[in-house]
Amino acid sequence: MGDVLTRLARSLSICLAVALVACWAPTADAGTGKTKSSSVERPSKSSKSSKSKQRKKRVAKKSKRERKRERERARQRAAAPIDEAALASEIVASEYVAEGTLDIRDADAVNAVFPDLSTWVHPIVGTEERVSSFPGREFGARRGGISNSRGCGGGHCGTDLHAERGRPIVAVATGIVVRVERRRSGGDGMSGRHVRLRHPDDTFTTYMHMDSVVDDLEIGDEVTARQQLGTLGSTGVSTHTPHLHFSLEIPVKKDNGTGDHKSDFTRWIDAAPFLDQATIVDRAERKHATKPNI
């Protein structure tokens, strides 16, 4: 009798052990044949999708904050005082217009002093818009955040000329390259890719928001009228459709009685009268710029 009880107790112990192992061991999925644990609950696909969406929202929100901060920094830079001495360092002029002696709003008077303005070619190849047809794109239009516009009225120191992205941009006249900016935002975070030229009559023209700049163009190069500088785009701070922000500057000499040029600077003026009479070309001249003799 004792042996029977011993064998019975041993059998019950074995059954109990098998039952415990069965409860904690991974079980096979009937549909896939893959094992799965009954004690660990894995996240569902809907849970993973929700977490992914939350991560994307956080990234988008962060990018939005960064863009907002960049716009604020750009407005602060635009409102900062302009260093006229730094601008003057780019001018190597033999003659200057004394401040107050020329009515810069009189295109005929300006043209009499700078006759080369009447020989321009239009900066946009094959354009259908000689000058801006919308008041908000004209010279002197109001621009928020700009308080020191140096004679540009509401702050827009150029005229916006519209065409499709990629249209060739050319030099309006022979000139020397004094600035080339290839960064998408521009050195100031606003102007985008652009080129600035100094012409033989010591006027300056600038071509902003370009999609691309000619690869081998460098500071000091000489370009000719109709020579391609780049292509039209919307880089930098550009709130409109693709366009060229084109500006014209003339040299001005302050009468300080010292006879030196330390207070010389340039002043933006409305380029529309000269763009209106410029020759429109049907193709750009693609050639290497003339490098300076060193």
Side-chain angles (χ1 to χ4, degrees):
M1 185 68 179
D3 291 341
V4 173
L5 293 175
T6 301
R7 286 196 295 272
L8 181 60
R10 187 179 298 172
S11 298
L12 289 173
S13 297
I14 294 172
C15 291
L16 180 61
V18 170
L20 289 173
V21 170
C23 289
W24 291 100
T27 56
D29 187 281
T32 62
K34 296 181 180 180
T35 59
K36 59 180 181 179
S37 174
S38 60
S39 62
V40 180
E41 184 178 351
R42 297 182 180 181
S44 64
K45 290 184 178 180
S46 61
S47 176
K48 290 182 179 179
S49 176
S50 176
K51 289 181 178 179
S52 176
K53 288 180 180 179
Q54 289 175 0
R55 282 195 298 269
K56 288 180 179 179
K57 285 182 180 180
R58 286 196 296 268
V59 171
K61 190 174 181 180
K62 182 178 179 181
S63 299
K64 187 176 180 180
R65 287 198 301 268
E66 290 175 350
R67 289 195 298 269
K68 186 177 180 179
R69 283 196 293 266
E70 179 59 32
R71 287 195 296 270
E72 181 60 29
R73 286 193 292 266
R75 282 194 291 269
Q76 291 173 357
R77 285 191 291 266
I82 295 176
D83 186 352
E84 294 182 350
L87 290 174
S89 66
E90 296 180 349
I91 304 174
V92 187
S94 56
E95 295 183 12
Y96 291 77
V97 176
E99 188 176 31
T101 63
L102 176 65
D103 184 358
I104 60 175
R105 295 169 297 181
D106 185 342
D108 291 335
V110 173
N111 199 33
V113 178
F114 303 101
D116 289 351
L117 300 179
S118 62
T119 64
W120 276 2
V121 299
H122 201 280
I124 301 181
V125 170
T127 184
E128 298 177 355
E129 181 184 57
R130 285 184 172 272
V131 296
S132 179
S133 56
F134 183 72
R137 303 168 187 164
E138 295 175 346
F139 180 87
R142 183 173 180 78
R143 289 293 184 270
I146 299 179
S147 59
N148 187 356
S149 58
R150 294 173 57 228
C152 302
H156 192 220
C157 297
T159 183
D160 292 342
L161 305 168
H162 287 69
E164 71 274 11
R165 186 189 302 275
R167 183 79 68 93
I169 302 299
V170 299
V172 297
T174 296
I176 302 295
V177 178
V178 297
R179 187 181 301 152
V180 177
E181 178 56 70
R182 289 187 168 85
R183 287 173 291 184
R184 182 174 181 80
S185 62
D188 58 359
M190 299 179 64
S191 52
R193 299 186 180 106
H194 66 274
V195 174
R196 187 173 187 237
L197 304 179
R198 175 170 59 84
H199 302 284
D201 59 358
D202 293 315
T203 59
F204 290 78
T205 54
T206 306
Y207 312 73
M208 294 184 180
H209 302 319
M210 290 197 289
D211 195 52
S212 65
V213 175
V214 172
D215 288 340
D216 66 340
L217 199 65
E218 298 175 342
I219 292 175
D221 289 352
E222 181 179 0
V223 297
T224 58
R226 306 186 185 198
Q227 185 169 338
Q228 184 164 348
L229 303 175
T231 57
L232 188 143
S234 59
T235 57
V237 177
S238 175
T239 57
H240 300 301
T241 54
H243 68 277
L244 171 69
H245 174 98
F246 178 82
S247 66
L248 166 64
E249 299 164 72
I250 61 172
V252 177
K253 179 175 176 59
K254 286 184 177 180
D255 185 9
N256 59 2
T258 63
D260 58 40
H261 288 174
K262 290 183 179 179
S263 59
D264 296 340
F265 62 100
T266 62
R267 183 178 296 280
W268 284 291
I269 67 171
D270 189 2
F274 313 108
L275 291 170
D276 197 34
Q277 61 184 0
T279 301
I280 298 174
V281 296
D282 57 3
R283 65 181 181 85
E285 291 185 1
R286 298 178 61 87
K287 60 181 182 180
H288 293 294
T290 303
K291 301 296 180 180
N293 294 324
I294 301 176

mmCIF file of all heavy atoms in Angstrom, residues 247-280:
data_model
loop_
_atom_site.group_PDB
_atom_site.id
_atom_site.type_symbol
_atom_site.label_atom_id
_atom_site.label_comp_id
_atom_site.label_asym_id
_atom_site.label_seq_id
_atom_site.Cartn_x
_atom_site.Cartn_y
_atom_site.Cartn_z
ATOM 1 N N SER A 247 18.039 95.813 -58.679
ATOM 2 C CA SER A 247 18.232 97.131 -58.071
ATOM 3 C C SER A 247 19.348 97.896 -58.765
ATOM 4 O O SER A 247 20.279 97.318 -59.336
ATOM 5 C CB SER A 247 18.538 96.999 -56.577
ATOM 6 O OG SER A 247 19.776 96.365 -56.378
ATOM 7 N N LEU A 248 19.229 99.223 -58.702
ATOM 8 C CA LEU A 248 20.194 100.147 -59.298
ATOM 9 C C LEU A 248 20.664 101.119 -58.227
ATOM 10 O O LEU A 248 19.850 101.665 -57.478
ATOM 11 C CB LEU A 248 19.543 100.911 -60.457
ATOM 12 C CG LEU A 248 20.291 102.142 -60.991
ATOM 13 C CD1 LEU A 248 21.633 101.745 -61.611
ATOM 14 C CD2 LEU A 248 19.412 102.881 -62.011
ATOM 15 N N GLU A 249 21.977 101.338 -58.150
ATOM 16 C CA GLU A 249 22.555 102.307 -57.218
ATOM 17 C C GLU A 249 23.444 103.291 -57.989
ATOM 18 O O GLU A 249 24.117 102.905 -58.945
ATOM 19 C CB GLU A 249 23.413 101.602 -56.164
ATOM 20 C CG GLU A 249 22.656 100.607 -55.299
ATOM 21 C CD GLU A 249 23.616 99.691 -54.560
ATOM 22 O OE1 GLU A 249 24.285 100.166 -53.618
ATOM 23 O OE2 GLU A 249 23.712 98.518 -54.941
ATOM 24 N N ILE A 250 23.443 104.541 -57.531
ATOM 25 C CA ILE A 250 24.340 105.540 -58.105
ATOM 26 C C ILE A 250 25.275 106.037 -56.997
ATOM 27 O O ILE A 250 24.898 106.066 -55.835
ATOM 28 C CB ILE A 250 23.573 106.721 -58.736
ATOM 29 C CG1 ILE A 250 22.736 107.451 -57.675
ATOM 30 C CG2 ILE A 250 22.712 106.252 -59.898
ATOM 31 C CD1 ILE A 250 22.101 108.739 -58.176
ATOM 32 N N PRO A 251 26.489 106.439 -57.342
ATOM 33 C CA PRO A 251 27.420 106.929 -56.327
ATOM 34 C C PRO A 251 27.068 108.349 -55.903
ATOM 35 O O PRO A 251 26.648 109.172 -56.713
ATOM 36 C CB PRO A 251 28.769 106.884 -57.042
ATOM 37 C CG PRO A 251 28.425 107.060 -58.475
ATOM 38 C CD PRO A 251 27.090 106.394 -58.679
ATOM 39 N N VAL A 252 27.218 108.623 -54.633
ATOM 40 C CA VAL A 252 26.903 109.940 -54.079
ATOM 41 C C VAL A 252 28.071 110.382 -53.200
ATOM 42 O O VAL A 252 28.636 109.579 -52.461
ATOM 43 C CB VAL A 252 25.600 109.901 -53.247
ATOM 44 C CG1 VAL A 252 25.319 111.266 -52.625
ATOM 45 C CG2 VAL A 252 24.430 109.467 -54.112
ATOM 46 N N LYS A 253 28.408 111.680 -53.275
ATOM 47 C CA LYS A 253 29.468 112.220 -52.423
ATOM 48 C C LYS A 253 28.878 113.253 -51.481
ATOM 49 O O LYS A 253 28.254 114.213 -51.908
ATOM 50 C CB LYS A 253 30.569 112.871 -53.255
ATOM 51 C CG LYS A 253 31.694 113.468 -52.398
ATOM 52 C CD LYS A 253 32.815 113.996 -53.251
ATOM 53 C CE LYS A 253 33.872 114.669 -52.374
ATOM 54 N NZ LYS A 253 34.432 113.751 -51.378
ATOM 55 N N LYS A 254 29.066 113.027 -50.198
ATOM 56 C CA LYS A 254 28.632 114.018 -49.215
ATOM 57 C C LYS A 254 29.635 115.172 -49.186
ATOM 58 O O LYS A 254 30.842 114.963 -49.223
ATOM 59 C CB LYS A 254 28.538 113.389 -47.823
ATOM 60 C CG LYS A 254 27.345 112.482 -47.626
ATOM 61 C CD LYS A 254 27.281 111.992 -46.189
ATOM 62 C CE LYS A 254 26.040 111.141 -45.957
ATOM 63 N NZ LYS A 254 25.963 110.644 -44.564
ATOM 64 N N ASP A 255 29.126 116.375 -49.118
ATOM 65 C CA ASP A 255 29.988 117.563 -49.064
ATOM 66 C C ASP A 255 30.376 117.808 -47.607
ATOM 67 O O ASP A 255 29.691 118.515 -46.873
ATOM 68 C CB ASP A 255 29.255 118.776 -49.653
ATOM 69 C CG ASP A 255 30.161 120.004 -49.721
ATOM 70 O OD1 ASP A 255 31.373 119.847 -49.483
ATOM 71 O OD2 ASP A 255 29.641 121.098 -49.993
ATOM 72 N N ASN A 256 31.507 117.200 -47.194
ATOM 73 C CA ASN A 256 31.936 117.387 -45.811
ATOM 74 C C ASN A 256 33.143 118.316 -45.697
ATOM 75 O O ASN A 256 33.683 118.516 -44.620
ATOM 76 C CB ASN A 256 32.259 116.039 -45.162
ATOM 77 C CG ASN A 256 33.354 115.287 -45.914
ATOM 78 O OD1 ASN A 256 33.899 115.787 -46.901
ATOM 79 N ND2 ASN A 256 33.679 114.099 -45.451
ATOM 80 N N GLY A 257 33.588 118.837 -46.851
ATOM 81 C CA GLY A 257 34.662 119.822 -46.837
ATOM 82 C C GLY A 257 36.045 119.261 -46.609
ATOM 83 O O GLY A 257 37.020 120.008 -46.518
ATOM 84 N N THR A 258 36.172 117.938 -46.539
ATOM 85 C CA THR A 258 37.491 117.358 -46.274
ATOM 86 C C THR A 258 38.219 116.964 -47.546
ATOM 87 O O THR A 258 39.437 116.792 -47.541
ATOM 88 C CB THR A 258 37.350 116.107 -45.393
ATOM 89 O OG1 THR A 258 36.596 115.112 -46.107
ATOM 90 C CG2 THR A 258 36.638 116.434 -44.092
ATOM 91 N N GLY A 259 37.484 116.818 -48.625
ATOM 92 C CA GLY A 259 38.108 116.444 -49.882
ATOM 93 C C GLY A 259 38.414 114.961 -50.014
ATOM 94 O O GLY A 259 38.911 114.521 -51.045
ATOM 95 N N ASP A 260 38.142 114.182 -48.972
ATOM 96 C CA ASP A 260 38.384 112.748 -49.092
ATOM 97 C C ASP A 260 37.080 112.026 -49.423
ATOM 98 O O ASP A 260 36.030 112.638 -49.532
ATOM 99 C CB ASP A 260 38.987 112.183 -47.802
ATOM 100 C CG ASP A 260 38.088 112.427 -46.589
ATOM 101 O OD1 ASP A 260 36.864 112.298 -46.744
ATOM 102 O OD2 ASP A 260 38.623 112.731 -45.502
ATOM 103 N N HIS A 261 37.182 110.717 -49.598
ATOM 104 C CA HIS A 261 36.018 109.921 -50.002
ATOM 105 C C HIS A 261 35.503 109.042 -48.871
ATOM 106 O O HIS A 261 34.772 108.097 -49.104
ATOM 107 C CB HIS A 261 36.370 109.048 -51.214
ATOM 108 C CG HIS A 261 36.513 109.833 -52.478
ATOM 109 N ND1 HIS A 261 36.934 109.276 -53.650
ATOM 110 C CD2 HIS A 261 36.301 111.147 -52.745
ATOM 111 C CE1 HIS A 261 36.973 110.198 -54.607
ATOM 112 N NE2 HIS A 261 36.603 111.334 -54.076
ATOM 113 N N LYS A 262 35.851 109.333 -47.641
ATOM 114 C CA LYS A 262 35.457 108.465 -46.546
ATOM 115 C C LYS A 262 33.953 108.446 -46.331
ATOM 116 O O LYS A 262 33.420 107.505 -45.778
ATOM 117 C CB LYS A 262 36.168 108.902 -45.263
ATOM 118 C CG LYS A 262 37.665 108.616 -45.292
ATOM 119 C CD LYS A 262 38.322 108.991 -43.982
ATOM 120 C CE LYS A 262 39.812 108.670 -44.018
ATOM 121 N NZ LYS A 262 40.482 109.064 -42.752
ATOM 122 N N SER A 263 33.274 109.506 -46.732
ATOM 123 C CA SER A 263 31.828 109.542 -46.511
ATOM 124 C C SER A 263 31.054 109.259 -47.792
ATOM 125 O O SER A 263 29.856 109.470 -47.852
ATOM 126 C CB SER A 263 31.422 110.912 -45.957
ATOM 127 O OG SER A 263 31.800 111.936 -46.862
ATOM 128 N N ASP A 264 31.743 108.795 -48.836
ATOM 129 C CA ASP A 264 31.063 108.468 -50.083
ATOM 130 C C ASP A 264 30.251 107.188 -49.905
ATOM 131 O O ASP A 264 30.660 106.273 -49.193
ATOM 132 C CB ASP A 264 32.066 108.264 -51.212
ATOM 133 C CG ASP A 264 32.836 109.539 -51.518
ATOM 134 O OD1 ASP A 264 32.360 110.634 -51.157
ATOM 135 O OD2 ASP A 264 33.929 109.421 -52.091
ATOM 136 N N PHE A 265 29.135 107.120 -50.589
ATOM 137 C CA PHE A 265 28.280 105.945 -50.496
ATOM 138 C C PHE A 265 27.443 105.858 -51.756
ATOM 139 O O PHE A 265 27.577 106.678 -52.668
ATOM 140 C CB PHE A 265 27.394 106.000 -49.248
ATOM 141 C CG PHE A 265 26.431 107.157 -49.220
ATOM 142 C CD1 PHE A 265 25.096 106.981 -49.568
ATOM 143 C CD2 PHE A 265 26.855 108.443 -48.851
ATOM 144 C CE1 PHE A 265 24.208 108.044 -49.544
ATOM 145 C CE2 PHE A 265 25.971 109.498 -48.825
ATOM 146 C CZ PHE A 265 24.644 109.305 -49.172
ATOM 147 N N THR A 266 26.614 104.854 -51.837
ATOM 148 C CA THR A 266 25.707 104.733 -52.980
ATOM 149 C C THR A 266 24.280 104.906 -52.492
ATOM 150 O O THR A 266 23.971 104.692 -51.323
ATOM 151 C CB THR A 266 25.846 103.358 -53.661
ATOM 152 O OG1 THR A 266 25.497 102.332 -52.729
ATOM 153 C CG2 THR A 266 27.262 103.136 -54.169
ATOM 154 N N ARG A 267 23.412 105.284 -53.437
ATOM 155 C CA ARG A 267 21.994 105.437 -53.116
ATOM 156 C C ARG A 267 21.179 104.678 -54.140
ATOM 157 O O ARG A 267 21.405 104.795 -55.341
ATOM 158 C CB ARG A 267 21.609 106.926 -53.131
ATOM 159 C CG ARG A 267 20.142 107.159 -52.723
ATOM 160 C CD ARG A 267 19.811 108.640 -52.702
ATOM 161 N NE ARG A 267 20.587 109.352 -51.690
ATOM 162 C CZ ARG A 267 20.295 109.372 -50.398
ATOM 163 N NH1 ARG A 267 19.267 108.676 -49.931
ATOM 164 N NH2 ARG A 267 21.028 110.060 -49.550
ATOM 165 N N TRP A 268 20.233 103.896 -53.617
ATOM 166 C CA TRP A 268 19.339 103.187 -54.520
ATOM 167 C C TRP A 268 18.384 104.170 -55.187
ATOM 168 O O TRP A 268 17.890 105.114 -54.545
ATOM 169 C CB TRP A 268 18.503 102.158 -53.765
ATOM 170 C CG TRP A 268 19.243 100.921 -53.392
ATOM 171 C CD1 TRP A 268 19.705 99.945 -54.230
ATOM 172 C CD2 TRP A 268 19.590 100.482 -52.070
ATOM 173 N NE1 TRP A 268 20.323 98.950 -53.520
ATOM 174 C CE2 TRP A 268 20.268 99.253 -52.193
ATOM 175 C CE3 TRP A 268 19.388 101.020 -50.796
ATOM 176 C CZ2 TRP A 268 20.743 98.542 -51.104
ATOM 177 C CZ3 TRP A 268 19.863 100.318 -49.697
ATOM 178 C CH2 TRP A 268 20.530 99.098 -49.856
ATOM 179 N N ILE A 269 18.121 103.945 -56.455
ATOM 180 C CA ILE A 269 17.114 104.737 -57.170
ATOM 181 C C ILE A 269 16.241 103.786 -57.981
ATOM 182 O O ILE A 269 16.591 102.620 -58.193
ATOM 183 C CB ILE A 269 17.745 105.808 -58.083
ATOM 184 C CG1 ILE A 269 18.503 105.152 -59.252
ATOM 185 C CG2 ILE A 269 18.678 106.725 -57.297
ATOM 186 C CD1 ILE A 269 18.944 106.169 -60.303
ATOM 187 N N ASP A 270 15.124 104.304 -58.434
ATOM 188 C CA ASP A 270 14.165 103.497 -59.198
ATOM 189 C C ASP A 270 14.739 103.185 -60.576
ATOM 190 O O ASP A 270 15.054 104.084 -61.362
ATOM 191 C CB ASP A 270 12.847 104.260 -59.326
ATOM 192 C CG ASP A 270 11.739 103.400 -59.904
ATOM 193 O OD1 ASP A 270 11.976 102.205 -60.175
ATOM 194 O OD2 ASP A 270 10.615 103.926 -60.074
ATOM 195 N N ALA A 271 14.872 101.894 -60.881
ATOM 196 C CA ALA A 271 15.419 101.466 -62.172
ATOM 197 C C ALA A 271 14.366 101.353 -63.258
ATOM 198 O O ALA A 271 14.706 101.144 -64.430
ATOM 199 C CB ALA A 271 16.120 100.123 -62.009
ATOM 200 N N ALA A 272 13.081 101.504 -62.900
ATOM 201 C CA ALA A 272 11.990 101.264 -63.857
ATOM 202 C C ALA A 272 12.109 102.081 -65.142
ATOM 203 O O ALA A 272 11.902 101.542 -66.233
ATOM 204 C CB ALA A 272 10.645 101.514 -63.184
ATOM 205 N N PRO A 273 12.435 103.403 -65.088
ATOM 206 C CA PRO A 273 12.520 104.172 -66.338
ATOM 207 C C PRO A 273 13.558 103.622 -67.309
ATOM 208 O O PRO A 273 13.382 103.708 -68.527
ATOM 209 C CB PRO A 273 12.903 105.578 -65.855
ATOM 210 C CG PRO A 273 12.437 105.636 -64.443
ATOM 211 C CD PRO A 273 12.652 104.260 -63.907
ATOM 212 N N PHE A 274 14.614 103.040 -66.778
ATOM 213 C CA PHE A 274 15.683 102.530 -67.635
ATOM 214 C C PHE A 274 15.400 101.108 -68.089
ATOM 215 O O PHE A 274 15.790 100.701 -69.189
ATOM 216 C CB PHE A 274 17.014 102.632 -66.887
ATOM 217 C CG PHE A 274 17.208 103.975 -66.242
ATOM 218 C CD1 PHE A 274 17.120 104.128 -64.866
ATOM 219 C CD2 PHE A 274 17.408 105.109 -67.017
ATOM 220 C CE1 PHE A 274 17.253 105.366 -64.267
ATOM 221 C CE2 PHE A 274 17.550 106.361 -66.431
ATOM 222 C CZ PHE A 274 17.468 106.486 -65.058
ATOM 223 N N LEU A 275 14.684 100.344 -67.267
ATOM 224 C CA LEU A 275 14.240 99.022 -67.689
ATOM 225 C C LEU A 275 13.194 99.139 -68.792
ATOM 226 O O LEU A 275 13.130 98.306 -69.705
ATOM 227 C CB LEU A 275 13.650 98.257 -66.493
ATOM 228 C CG LEU A 275 14.626 97.816 -65.408
ATOM 229 C CD1 LEU A 275 13.867 97.291 -64.200
ATOM 230 C CD2 LEU A 275 15.581 96.754 -65.937
ATOM 231 N N ASP A 276 12.378 100.184 -68.708
ATOM 232 C CA ASP A 276 11.293 100.372 -69.672
ATOM 233 C C ASP A 276 11.817 100.627 -71.078
ATOM 234 O O ASP A 276 11.155 100.305 -72.062
ATOM 235 C CB ASP A 276 10.403 101.534 -69.220
ATOM 236 C CG ASP A 276 9.055 101.516 -69.928
ATOM 237 O OD1 ASP A 276 8.545 100.412 -70.208
ATOM 238 O OD2 ASP A 276 8.531 102.599 -70.220
ATOM 239 N N GLN A 277 13.022 101.197 -71.177
ATOM 240 C CA GLN A 277 13.587 101.486 -72.497
ATOM 241 C C GLN A 277 14.726 100.525 -72.861
ATOM 242 O O GLN A 277 15.363 100.683 -73.907
ATOM 243 C CB GLN A 277 14.111 102.921 -72.546
ATOM 244 C CG GLN A 277 15.224 103.223 -71.557
ATOM 245 C CD GLN A 277 15.645 104.683 -71.583
ATOM 246 O OE1 GLN A 277 15.099 105.483 -72.353
ATOM 247 N NE2 GLN A 277 16.595 105.043 -70.745
ATOM 248 N N ALA A 278 14.960 99.538 -72.015
ATOM 249 C CA ALA A 278 16.042 98.584 -72.262
ATOM 250 C C ALA A 278 15.707 97.661 -73.434
ATOM 251 O O ALA A 278 14.538 97.399 -73.731
ATOM 252 C CB ALA A 278 16.304 97.761 -71.009
ATOM 253 N N THR A 279 16.729 97.159 -74.089
ATOM 254 C CA THR A 279 16.567 96.221 -75.202
ATOM 255 C C THR A 279 16.347 94.815 -74.663
ATOM 256 O O THR A 279 17.115 94.328 -73.827
ATOM 257 C CB THR A 279 17.821 96.219 -76.096
ATOM 258 O OG1 THR A 279 18.041 97.536 -76.599
ATOM 259 C CG2 THR A 279 17.662 95.254 -77.259
ATOM 260 N N ILE A 280 15.288 94.157 -75.117
ATOM 261 C CA ILE A 280 15.002 92.787 -74.704
ATOM 262 C C ILE A 280 15.682 91.840 -75.684
ATOM 263 O O ILE A 280 15.485 91.934 -76.895
ATOM 264 C CB ILE A 280 13.487 92.522 -74.660
ATOM 265 C CG1 ILE A 280 12.817 93.428 -73.627
ATOM 266 C CG2 ILE A 280 13.206 91.063 -74.337
ATOM 267 C CD1 ILE A 280 11.307 93.331 -73.612
#
